[in-house]
């Protein structure tokens, strides 16, 4: 495609290279009782990549949204190319050449991929182009990113990873001179992430400024020029990336050192009973002859590439997809699971990969989200029951460390990572026998991730069986007692104990010989 454009938005005086493209002076922003940003001052030179890190709820997304015209500051000044600016809408920011790839996807599910990519593009040069030339631009963007997105498919039918790619294409199509990327790689594969980094570097070479928010600290350090740490809405420091290390960043983010980065793995007792027993699951064209057990206290991980069938196994066990053949037993009892409701009643819980469309009622409170699916268990609606409910919800949300509002706070006001924790709490509320986790720590910060890992370990040690799907190989290595590797809808490898190693898992997943391929993260499954 036509590379990012070097000139700023129309009519804007372009600052010389090295001068601040965007500058915040004493910016504060409050949402009700939550002080999201406090007196933040920051200057970002044009044509640089600027990293933004911090715990869940630190204010990263709020800062990005302020710059992109989604929010307005309560006090302080925003300068773009030295001009004091006060955008009232994202459209106004876009007219100035600024756009955002939001953490929570903002696509219109009813529209096609093509339509979403050029949605709102009237504000940029694209508005002057015909449909046919837009289509050519779409194809060029697809080639440039290697995403291979289908133009005519309804966006709502795509999995999360695919939708995230549509967001990325849209930002590129807008040819902005300033792009805020809020956790853009959260659901991309290693190869796709690499491709994105290449694109971001090309954008920089073209003079585009990129603000990059991520919880993958190594990724940030490898990509950005400068990095800012936020904590509780305050700017802790901004440094050239050469001055930072992952450990230093973590310490600044959390205000303390992280003693270990790994939860101590639990031990599966000798002779632990089989909790989940899956035999011969098959679904034409998707799964073939899947058989495995998960014992009490055991964490079994499913590894594999896109389309390998990992999520499909989880969905089958949870009753979300129909099967052609196969049996599922829980604690020795054969289950007739036709829908998720049956699975929940049998004692199975699943934390799905997407918080927004699969798990949470965004406009309801934390307490409602956590307890609503379990109302049957809370007998009566009396004051006593209500109080007990609050106590139980309080205990579980404290355990997973939900922050950013009391129990009656609406979920929509929580930061992305804290929403993920509420989802977690909801499914742990009634200690299930089998816990299925699909990307359980996507979008949560390093401290909270360790907390969730410790929680999984402690749940397993009480005898819960856990089936884990994760694109982060570190997570699999940290938690799994056993790893089943899937390829083409079958289980093609099994590793246990000391045999669990990154290289071995990846070779099995890719069907390559050792040494052929190196990769940091395994690939997530879409939909
Ligand atoms: N629309 C909103 N309504 C109410 N409170 C909000 C809203 N948006 C953000 N907040 C609050 O502002 C604070 C900062 O949230 P923000 O989303 O900026 O965090 P973040 O650093 O992006 O976190 P994460 O890593 O979890 O995405 C939090 O306390 C959050 O609850
Ligand atoms: Mg955020």
């Amino acid at each position: 495609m036509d590379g990012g454009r070097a000139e700023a938005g129309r009519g804007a005086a372009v600052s010389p290279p090295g001068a601040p493209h965007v500058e915040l002076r004493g910016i504060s922003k409050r949402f009700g009782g939550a002080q999201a940003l406090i007196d933040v001052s920051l200057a970002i030179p044009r044509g640089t990549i600027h990293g933004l890190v911090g715990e869940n709820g630190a204010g990263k997304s709020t800062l990005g949204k302020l710059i992109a015209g989604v929010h307005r500051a309560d006090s302080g000044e925003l300068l773009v190319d030295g001009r004091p600016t006060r955008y009232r809408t994202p459209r106004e920011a876009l007219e100035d050449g600024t756009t955002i790839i939001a953490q929570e996807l903002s696509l219109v599910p009813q529209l096609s991929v093509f339509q979403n990519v050029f949605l709102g593009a009237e504000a940029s040069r694209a508005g002057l182009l015909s449909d046919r030339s837009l289509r050519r631009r779409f194809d060029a963007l697809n080639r440039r990113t290697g995403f291979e997105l289908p133009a005519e498919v309804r966006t709502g039918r795509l999995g999360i990873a695919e939708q995230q790619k549509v967001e990325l294409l849209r930002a590129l199509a807008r040819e902005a001179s300033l792009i805020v990327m809020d956790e853009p790689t959260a659901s991309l594969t290693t190869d796709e992430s690499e491709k994105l980094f290449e694109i971001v570097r090309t954008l920089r070479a073209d003079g585009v400024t990129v603000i990059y928010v991520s919880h993958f600290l190594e990724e940030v350090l490898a990509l950005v020029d400068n990095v800012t740490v936020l904590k509780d809405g305050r700017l802790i420091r901004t440094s050239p990336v050469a001055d930072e290390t992952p450990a230093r960043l973590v310490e600044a983010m959390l205000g303390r050192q992280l003693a270990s980065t790994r939860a101590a793995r639990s031990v599966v007792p000798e002779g632990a009973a089989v909790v989940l027993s899956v035999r011969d699951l098959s679904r034409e064209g998707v799964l073939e002859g899947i058989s495995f057990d998960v014992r009490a206290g055991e964490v079994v991980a499913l590894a594999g590439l896109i389309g390998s069938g990992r999520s499909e196994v989880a969905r089958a066990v949870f009753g979300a997809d129909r099967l052609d053949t196969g049996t599922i037993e829980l604690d020795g009892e054969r289950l007739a699971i036709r829908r998720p409701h049956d699975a929940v009643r049998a004692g199975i819980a699943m934390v799905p990969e997407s918080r927004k469309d699969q798990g949470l009622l965004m406009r309801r409170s934390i307490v409602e989200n956590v307890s609503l699916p379990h109302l049957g268990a809370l007998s009566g609606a009396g004051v006593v029951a209500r109080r007990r409910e609050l106590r139980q919800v309080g205990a579980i949300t404290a355990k997973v460390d939900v922050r950013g509002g009391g129990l009656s706070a609406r979920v929509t006001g929580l930061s992305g990572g804290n929403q993920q924790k509420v989802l977690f709490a909801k499914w742990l509320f009634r200690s299930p026998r089998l816990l299925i986790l699909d990307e359980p720590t996507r979008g949560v910060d390093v401290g909270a991730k360790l907390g969730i890992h410790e929680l999984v370990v402690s749940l397993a040690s009480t005898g819960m069986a856990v089936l884990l799907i994760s694109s982060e190989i570190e997570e699999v290595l940290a938690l799994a007692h056993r790893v089943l590797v899937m390829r083409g809808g079958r289980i093609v490898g099994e590793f246990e104990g000391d045999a669990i190693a990154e290289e071995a898992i990846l070779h099995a997943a890719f069907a390559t010989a050792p040494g052929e391929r190196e990769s940091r993260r395994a690939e997530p499954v879409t939909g």
Side-chain angles (χ1 to χ4, degrees):
M1 87 159 215
D2 10 9
R5 64 169 189 208
E7 76 270 27
R10 271 127 303 162
V14 180
S15 45
H21 183 164
V22 59
E23 187 176 351
L24 283 71
R25 290 189 188 156
I27 291 270
S28 295
K29 175 72 183 175
R30 165 188 286 279
F31 297 100
Q35 188 73 50
L37 293 172
I38 308 163
D39 195 20
V40 169
S41 295
L42 169 67
I44 301 176
R46 174 174 291 280
T48 60
I49 308 172
H50 197 99
L52 207 51
V53 301
E55 282 183 290
N56 295 131
K60 305 179 296 295
S61 296
T62 304
L63 187 66
K65 286 177 179 171
L66 265 160
I67 291 172
V70 180
H71 295 320
R72 269 150 305 287
D74 299 334
S75 56
E77 260 192 316
L78 171 68
L79 292 91
V80 175
D81 281 315
R83 281 172 299 124
T85 309
R86 204 171 157 78
Y87 302 129
R88 279 164 304 181
T89 59
R91 168 63 57 96
E92 285 187 8
L94 186 56
E95 281 165 8
D96 237 6
T98 299
T99 191
I100 183 168
I101 300 170
Q103 184 176 15
E104 308 300 327
L105 302 178
S106 60
L107 303 166
V108 183
Q110 296 82 7
L111 296 183
S112 72
V113 168
F114 175 78
Q115 287 168 322
N116 266 298
V117 166
F118 292 104
L119 199 65
E122 312 89 82
S124 81
R125 288 190 323 188
L128 308 171
L129 302 174
S130 70
D131 249 24
R132 178 138 23 105
S133 65
L134 280 186
R135 184 55 200 258
R136 270 203 302 275
R137 295 240 337 259
F138 181 89
D139 294 339
L141 281 170
N142 237 345
R143 264 199 309 281
R144 178 178 180 200
T145 55
F147 284 170
E148 295 175 20
L149 289 167
E152 303 305 335
V153 170
R154 262 188 48 220
T155 308
R157 292 188 45 207
L158 300 178
I160 315 208
E162 251 50 41
Q163 294 199 22
Q164 191 162 27
K165 293 180 206 164
V166 178
E167 288 258 352
L168 279 165
L169 277 203
R170 181 168 65 182
L172 294 177
R174 289 174 168 179
E175 302 193 339
S177 57
L178 172 61
I179 307 180
V180 179
M181 299 187 176
D182 200 346
E183 294 191 38
T185 61
S187 42
L188 297 186
T189 65
T190 314
D191 288 351
E192 288 163 352
S193 299
E194 293 295 332
K195 194 91 194 174
L196 175 70
F197 302 153
E198 251 173 62
I199 293 169
V200 171
R201 291 190 179 105
T202 312
L203 289 170
R204 172 176 58 188
D206 289 341
V208 174
T209 308
V210 175
I211 298 176
Y212 192 88
V213 180
S214 177
H215 287 294
F216 296 110
L217 302 179
E218 278 93 4
E219 200 174 280
V220 171
L221 291 175
L223 184 68
V224 308
D225 299 300
N226 301 293
V227 57
T228 290
V229 181
L230 289 176
K231 175 164 174 50
D232 300 330
R234 291 180 194 278
L235 189 146
I236 300 294
R237 66 167 177 258
T238 296
S239 331
V241 72
D243 293 354
E244 295 287 5
T245 62
R248 273 179 55 85
L249 288 179
V250 167
E251 196 180 338
M253 284 167 57
L254 307 188
R256 63 183 156 90
Q257 278 177 319
L258 212 50
S260 73
T261 49
R262 246 184 212 198
R265 196 184 336 213
S266 60
V267 179
V268 186
E270 280 286 320
V274 169
V275 173
L276 174 72
S277 176
V278 165
R279 289 292 172 271
D280 256 330
L281 293 195
S282 290
R283 197 170 140 225
E284 204 176 343
V286 181
L287 297 175
E288 209 181 317
I290 302 289
S291 299
F292 66 94
D293 293 339
V294 184
R295 297 187 297 150
E298 194 180 26
V299 179
V300 172
L302 293 173
L305 307 180
I306 277 188
S308 65
R310 304 178 311 174
S311 283
E312 285 73 10
V313 169
R315 291 174 57 84
V317 172
F318 196 61
D321 288 338
R322 278 295 181 92
L323 287 166
D324 299 337
T325 59
T327 59
I328 296 166
E329 285 182 6
L330 200 68
D331 289 325
E333 236 177 86
R334 173 131 177 213
L335 303 181
I337 297 177
R338 272 178 301 273
R339 54 205 171 107
H341 182 75
D342 302 333
V344 173
R345 283 189 37 186
I348 302 175
M350 174 151 115
V351 178
E353 63 175 332
S354 148
R355 45 191 171 254
K356 204 169 178 180
D357 25 296
Q358 292 178 39
L360 294 175
L361 303 166
M362 301 301 284
R363 314 219 139 263
R364 300 288 192 102
S365 69
I366 294 177
V367 72
E368 286 172 299
N369 269 281
V370 174
S371 62
L372 219 52
H374 312 289
L375 273 188
L378 299 159
S379 55
V383 181
V384 179
R386 171 91 184 133
R387 222 179 272 147
R388 188 174 41 156
E389 172 188 354
L390 278 177
R391 211 171 41 238
Q392 288 175 352
V393 173
I396 188 77
T397 50
K399 218 169 179 181
V400 298
D401 197 18
V402 176
R403 295 191 216 170
L407 293 181
S408 54
R410 280 187 185 188
V411 168
T412 179
L414 296 182
S415 75
N418 280 300
Q419 289 174 4
Q420 181 71 359
K421 295 184 218 164
V422 172
L423 195 52
F424 213 88
K426 163 179 159 179
W427 288 110
L428 290 180
F429 194 56
R430 248 174 90 188
S431 308
R433 287 296 293 141
L434 170 70
L435 179 62
I436 304 174
L437 302 172
D438 196 350
E439 306 290 355
T441 60
R442 172 170 296 163
V444 310
D445 67 57
V446 282
K449 181 180 281 184
L450 183 64
I452 286 182
H453 285 179
E454 281 167 349
L455 184 64
V456 171
V457 168
S458 87
L459 290 168
S461 70
T462 66
M464 199 181 284
V466 180
L467 187 61
L468 169 73
I469 296 172
S470 174
S471 307
E472 276 182 72
I473 199 86
E474 290 90 351
E475 187 157 88
V476 171
L477 297 178
L479 294 177
H481 297 104
R482 205 143 51 84
V483 178
L484 306 174
V485 182
M486 297 193 64
R487 181 165 15 99
R490 297 157 170 267
I491 294 175
V492 295
E494 178 169 346
F495 302 93
E496 190 162 3
D498 293 341
I500 299 177
E502 176 170 1
E503 243 206 321
I505 293 169
L506 292 170
H507 289 313
F510 284 102
T512 52
E516 239 177 82
R517 182 183 183 101
E518 285 202 22
S519 198
R520 198 174 60 78
R521 279 192 275 159
E523 323 250 329
V525 158
T526 47

